[in-house]
Amino acid sequence: MEKKAILGKKVGMTQIFDEAGKVIPVTVIEAGPCTVVQKKTAEKDGYEAVQLGFQPTTEKHLTKGQKGHLAKAGVSEMLRVLKEVDVDSYDQLSVGDVLKADVFEVGDKVDAVGISKGKGYAGVIKRHGAQRTPMSHGGGPVHRHAGSMGSTSTPSRIRKGKIGAGQMGNEQVTIQNLEIVQVDPEINLLAVKGAIPGPKGGVVVIKSTSKVNVAKKGDAGISSNPQKASARVNPQKASARKH
């Protein structure tokens, strides 16, 4: 499967109807236009990738390093978001080329990468689904606390990865194997079946899925295996006896 990718902005969710009248929940993505700002080469960088720029902005919202990077690439437009993507069309792309929503087609399977909504500081019950302590028999005001979590004298510490209170959300999340339902290249919109992480207006990366989509097999027929065929007519089997 060809590797394709584009940067976009989450517009929101809606629903569309297919030809059979079935409701399909979709997330609308404003995909592109994205400008090729840089090409990573195997000789210089050790790998091949394309850096895309997205979301035009004013010069005052960029750092000196960002402005210098864009000037070196010869890109006149100030772009706020820069991200690297791995695409099979690496050899056909040049710095300054523009990618639009029509890089994808209806039916393509994609992965969506975004920053999830931040939920602030949360306890172990909301953040990890922990269980509260019993509400009777002198439980005290600690029903939603994490409780004792220290180990014994070996290793005399709390192991890494132990659940606890802390910041919830605001982390990179990837939703895999979503389907492109509609493509509108004129206004650079993609309709992706399902939900995509992040708030409205959040930047997302839409790229070809890393999942291996196996074609569905047809209806199971009668096996041609002679051993299985003999078992079906074996009178000793209870399933073959006439009742």
Side-chain angles (χ1 to χ4, degrees):
M1 182 174 57
E2 182 183 0
K3 291 181 181 178
K4 299 178 286 186
I6 197 169
L7 309 183
K9 181 177 71 174
K10 182 176 176 180
V11 178
M13 289 198 70
T14 183
Q15 60 185 23
I16 60 177
F17 297 86
D18 60 8
E19 297 178 354
K22 184 179 179 181
V23 176
I24 303 176
V26 297
T27 302
V28 180
I29 304 296
E30 182 184 338
C34 297
T35 305
V36 178
V37 177
Q38 185 182 17
K39 292 183 69 175
K40 300 286 187 177
T41 61
E43 295 78 13
K44 183 178 179 180
D45 304 291
Y47 64 98
E48 292 184 347
V50 175
Q51 187 185 70
L52 300 180
F54 178 61
Q55 278 196 344
T57 184
T58 56
E59 188 174 346
K60 69 177 183 179
H61 290 126
L62 298 181
T63 64
K64 288 185 178 180
Q66 291 172 322
K67 288 184 284 188
H69 180 68
L70 294 171
K72 183 178 178 180
V75 179
S76 59
E77 194 174 27
M78 297 290 103
L79 301 172
R80 187 176 69 86
V81 180
L82 299 175
K83 288 185 180 294
E84 290 183 9
V85 295
D86 182 16
V87 294
D88 287 343
S89 58
Y90 174 86
D91 296 330
Q92 288 77 38
L93 294 174
S94 301
V95 174
D97 290 349
V98 177
L99 301 182
K100 297 185 178 181
D102 55 4
V103 297
F104 288 103
E105 299 176 355
V106 174
D108 286 349
K109 297 289 186 176
V110 297
D111 293 345
V113 185
I115 303 298
S116 62
K117 292 181 180 180
K119 303 296 179 64
Y121 192 91
V124 289
I125 292 181
K126 181 177 180 180
R127 191 180 183 208
H128 297 289
Q131 182 179 353
R132 71 182 185 184
T133 60
M135 299 297 289
S136 60
H137 301 291
V142 293
H143 302 293
R144 297 179 66 89
H145 290 198
S148 176
M149 63 176 62
S151 187
T152 58
S153 59
T154 303
S156 297
R157 60 184 174 85
I158 298 176
R159 297 183 183 274
K160 286 185 178 181
K162 183 70 175 177
I163 67 172
Q167 186 185 30
M168 182 177 178
N170 193 32
E171 57 185 1
Q172 181 172 298
V173 179
T174 301
I175 306 297
Q176 294 184 313
N177 213 24
L178 302 175
E179 182 181 354
I180 301 290
V181 179
Q182 282 187 0
V183 178
D184 193 335
E186 295 184 0
I187 53 177
N188 288 312
L189 290 184
L190 293 177
V192 183
K193 183 178 180 180
I196 288 179
K200 294 178 182 178
V203 176
V204 295
V205 180
I206 305 296
K207 59 183 181 179
S208 299
T209 183
S210 58
K211 289 281 189 179
V212 178
N213 289 288
V214 181
K216 293 183 178 180
K217 298 180 180 179
D219 296 335
I222 298 177
S223 173
S224 59
N225 188 331
Q227 294 181 341
K228 292 184 178 180
S230 63
R232 285 195 297 270
V233 296
N234 186 352
Q236 299 297 325
K237 289 180 67 67
S239 59
R241 296 172 188 167
K242 294 181 180 180
H243 299 286

